[in-house]
Amino acid sequence: MSVLDDDLSADETLTESGDGIWPASKPEPPGEPRDLRSLYEEERARAEAAEARCEELRWAEVAARSEAGVWKWRFKSCRRRLSEAAEEAKELRRAVKDTPSLQAEVVRLRKLLWEATGPGEDDRAASLREEVARLREALAASEARKAAAGRRAGAERSLEHAGAIRSLRAENKRLGKELGQWRKAVGEFHGKLDREKERAESIRETARKLSNENLRLHREVRFLRDAEARALSLSDAVFWLRHALEGSRAGQKKLTARIAGLRAAGATLSKLPFDEAAHLRTALRRSRRHKATIRSLSRENASLRRAVKGSRDRIETLQAQLARLRSTGAVLSKRLYGRKSEQQDKPRSERKRGQQPGAPGHGHTQRPGLKERPETLAPPPEACVCARCGQAYAPNGVETSTLVEIEVKAHKRVISRPRLRRTCGCESSPMEVSAPPAPRLFANTLYGISVWACFLFERYACFRTLNGVAAWMSERGLAISPGTLGSSRKLFGPLFDPLYKAILARQNTTALRHADETSWRVQEFGGEDRSSRAWLWTSVSTDAVYFHIDRSRSAEAALKLFAEARRRTIVVCDRYSAYKRLARLGANRMILAFCWSHARRDFIEAAAGQKRLTQWCEGWIERIAGIFRLNEARLEHYDPGRKRQTAAFRKATRELKKAVDGLFAHAEAELAALPDRAREGKALRSLMNHREGLCVFVDEPQVPLTNNTAERILRGPAIGRGLSFGSDSEGGARFTATMYSVIGTLSMNGIDVLRWLEAWLEACANNRRRPPEDLSPWLPWTMSEERRRELATPP
């Protein structure tokens, strides 16, 4: 109920003489400040006392009216009897006016009349009139008081109605805003769906183009094969022509020698016999024609050779382009429709799934922390006696079994705080004492700490949407609006900021960190010609998780996570250029350790869609798997607490280093033997360029070979991003990063998140809605072992 300050500052006190209707207001102690809440409670108590007194007077009025009705009926009855006696007396006077013998009867009648209208009856009538008048005055006073109480209650109801109208208007405005947000979210979803459709259509179009290109290349290859066959047939013709040319040349030589002999003998062509001269002329013409044919065929053969050479170059170019397109199509198809795991297919085991016959079982899981609620299930009474003779059954022990049940139901806490009033005259003691009120996290709210802790747990630990959390609570009896939950973000932010900063400060003291990033959508960033895409950066150490949302994916955004990192910090990451630039900006302050899984993926993508590279890819996968196996065998002998490791560890390290050097030597030899445009050259060049970062784990055994730790941490937020489409505002995105950091850190250290949230929020409520100054009992790396056991996740 709303109460105005004017109502609390009124000077009038409603009192009544005598026993009183309302108790008089208490004077304020001098020098003490006015407590509006206590004044409100005092006035409320007085109003309730007045209402109770009004109800009592109303019932007293009903009783008085009833008694007045009885006396009125008796008064009317007496008046009626008096009228009847008067009429009878008049008749008797007329009848015995002249009859003296009837005087005795007249005396008797007068006596009766005196008894009916004696002075006592007049006194009772007068007293009755006075009582009726007094009751009327009391009734008028009661009506006046009731009207005053009604006016006061009406004023309070009008204030309540005004407050309700304001709250309904605010709720209507909020629902309108939420409807707009939902419409915007639906628009974003339809836009995303359209983009996915366009992406699928572009992939289909790319597949159609690849198919058409494949058909065109096949046609061109067939044409070139026909041209090559034609060139081979022409080569055969040229061979026979050359053979004929050589024969004609030999005949020409013989003819020339003969002509030379004849000329030496002094003979001329004209002097030769006719047949021989004609034969020589015919042979000369034939040889000239052969020479011309040979020259033309030689020119055609040269042009065909050039065409065949150009076609072969064209075939090689088209085959390389076709292989590249096939690989691209295979990679895109795998990303869209293939499985996400890159594990190789292993031979199927003959062992059946599940527990093997004869193997010892582990039994039921023991849960000693669950509270027990005893129940007794007795048989019905008719079953407790013999159905034949009726004799009762005797007790024969108890059969006990256990069922684990769970019950989650919202309830109201109706808190009563008895007040005690001082009975002595000591001014130094307070006038009234009562228990302190139950702690509330936020003022003017009906929701307790467990409600807010459950909301934070379901929203950021279980990755539910706001509507999902509201629906989940409604199913358990607590109807709450998603807007109410969403608007609490501004109130929660200051409570968790110190923890957020403490987590980053903890990570800045560690020597090994993992880093990764993924996309995040912030609706507030989107606008005209602007993208709503942001980036969720993460940094993971051995006992802390830190998230940061930034609009940029540049090295400046990564610098916000690693600006105050200790010198020579090892950062395990992928080969994204922002991390390389970050290492340069830090002036060799950080050491980058690159992920071997990303290097392995290069070989898989290089061989995608290329059957000729399958064996090559499997060979490199096996070499990289050998590095993993050798490193696992080495870590079995590794003791982080020892300065000088064992001989077995040093031997395993030498074997590992030899295998790593052999792998890079093999890559260098393969790369030197490949042409510049070979498809497998890209993966080999990337492997050689990142050799320094890939070999950090050899000298630093605590460094893992992959960045799977950061990628697993990002898996949960990625699920939340897919369910809620990101964040609506920049402030909401920052609070999301804060809560992901706090909850991820607690989960990593085995802390029960829900129990920790309830304890933290209760501590903030007891600290005047501010976070505690001392954070050591709340951070996993500073809390005591006893408190850690108290907040640990139940087994």
Side-chain angles (χ1 to χ4, degrees), residues 3-13 25 28 34-40 43 46 152:
V3 180
L4 297 179
D5 293 341
D6 296 338
D7 297 335
L8 298 179
S9 60
D11 294 334
E12 292 83 358
T13 57
S25 60
E28 296 183 5
R34 292 175 59 88
D35 187 358
L36 297 181
R37 186 69 181 179
S38 62
L39 287 176
Y40 165 72
E43 293 296 330
R46 293 177 59 204
R152 184 177 180 84

Side-chain angles (χ1 to χ4, degrees), residues 540-772:
V540 186
S541 60
T542 56
D543 56 359
V545 179
Y546 185 80
F547 286 95
H548 170 68
I549 292 182
D550 200 284
R551 300 189 64 172
S552 173
R553 202 189 178 194
S554 62
E556 286 75 11
L559 191 61
K560 296 177 182 178
L561 277 74
F562 300 97
E564 299 180 1
R566 59 179 291 183
R567 187 170 181 80
R568 307 294 293 174
T569 299
I570 300 176
V571 179
V572 183
C573 58
D574 53 19
R575 298 162 299 179
Y576 181 48
S577 59
Y579 298 111
K580 302 175 185 177
R581 187 166 180 266
L582 178 65
R584 293 194 297 270
L585 290 176
N588 296 325
R589 189 171 185 173
M590 288 176 293
I591 301 174
L592 299 183
F594 296 123
C595 177
W596 275 88
S597 294
H598 287 77
R600 178 179 179 273
R601 192 176 303 157
D602 290 342
F603 292 96
I604 295 175
E605 292 182 355
Q610 304 293 323
K611 291 185 178 180
R612 65 180 184 87
L613 297 179
T614 302
Q615 187 175 359
W616 171 83
C617 174
E618 290 177 353
W620 274 104
I621 289 176
E622 181 59 31
R623 293 186 189 95
I624 296 175
I627 300 297
F628 276 81
R629 287 193 293 268
L630 289 174
N631 188 59
E632 290 178 1
R634 178 181 71 148
L635 293 179
E636 292 179 358
H637 309 287
Y638 177 64
D639 185 4
R642 296 184 59 174
K643 279 190 175 182
R644 181 175 177 82
Q645 299 296 326
T646 61
F649 175 82
R650 294 196 298 272
K651 180 181 177 180
T653 302
R654 287 193 297 270
E655 294 178 358
L656 177 62
K657 188 175 295 185
K658 182 179 178 181
V660 171
D661 293 340
L663 182 142
F664 283 102
H666 188 84
E668 188 176 3
E670 276 195 10
L671 189 60
L674 290 174
D676 295 338
R677 299 178 62 183
R679 179 167 181 80
E680 54 266 40
K682 181 179 179 181
L684 293 171
R685 279 191 292 272
S686 176
L687 185 69
M688 296 301 298
N689 293 337
H690 299 91
R691 178 173 183 174
E692 182 180 358
L694 290 171
C695 294
V696 172
F697 78 100
V698 177
D699 298 325
E700 302 290 342
Q702 74 275 12
V703 177
L705 273 73
T706 66
N707 195 26
N708 291 343
T709 301
E711 292 185 354
R712 290 192 187 101
I713 290 295
L714 282 175
R715 186 176 300 171
I719 295 174
R721 174 192 62 194
L723 295 175
S724 60
F725 302 101
S727 303
D728 289 335
S729 62
E730 185 176 2
R734 286 198 299 268
F735 182 66
T736 299
T738 301
M739 292 308 302
Y740 282 165
S741 302
V742 173
I743 292 176
T745 300
L746 295 174
S747 300
M748 176 180 288
N749 290 273
I751 303 297
D752 189 338
V753 176
L754 182 59
R755 190 182 305 172
W756 184 94
L757 285 173
E758 290 178 351
W760 171 258
L761 295 180
E762 185 174 0
C764 294
N766 291 329
N767 195 30
R768 298 181 180 179
R769 304 179 182 92
R770 293 194 300 268

Side-chain angles (χ1 to χ4, degrees), residues 229-342:
R230 192 165 59 253
L232 291 175
S233 63
L234 290 174
S235 298
D236 296 337
V238 168
F239 172 75
W240 291 111
L241 287 174
R242 283 180 179 176
H243 182 70
L245 179 60
E246 290 176 357
S248 63
R249 284 176 179 175
Q252 185 180 5
K253 287 180 181 179
K254 292 179 181 180
L255 182 59
T256 303
R258 187 176 179 183
I259 291 172
L262 290 174
R263 285 178 178 175
T268 59
L269 189 60
S270 58
K271 294 180 180 181
L272 293 173
F274 177 76
D275 295 337
E276 189 174 357
H279 175 70
L280 290 174
R281 289 189 184 95
T282 301
L284 184 60
R285 285 195 296 273
R286 189 184 299 117
S287 65
R288 288 174 180 171
R289 286 197 303 271
H290 287 172
K291 286 181 179 180
T293 303
I294 288 171
R295 284 194 297 269
S296 64
L297 289 175
S298 298
R299 288 193 296 269
E300 185 177 359
N301 192 12
S303 64
L304 286 174
R305 287 180 181 276
R306 288 192 298 270
V308 169
K309 184 179 180 181
S311 65
R312 286 177 178 172
D313 295 339
R314 176 65 175 166
I315 287 174
E316 291 179 357
T317 303
L318 292 176
Q319 285 180 347
Q321 183 180 359
L322 180 61
R324 185 171 62 254
L325 292 175
R326 282 177 177 173
S327 300
T328 304
V331 171
L332 292 176
S333 178
K334 182 180 182 301
R335 289 180 181 176
L336 276 178
Y337 309 112
R339 64 177 187 175
K340 302 302 181 182
S341 175
E342 295 178 357

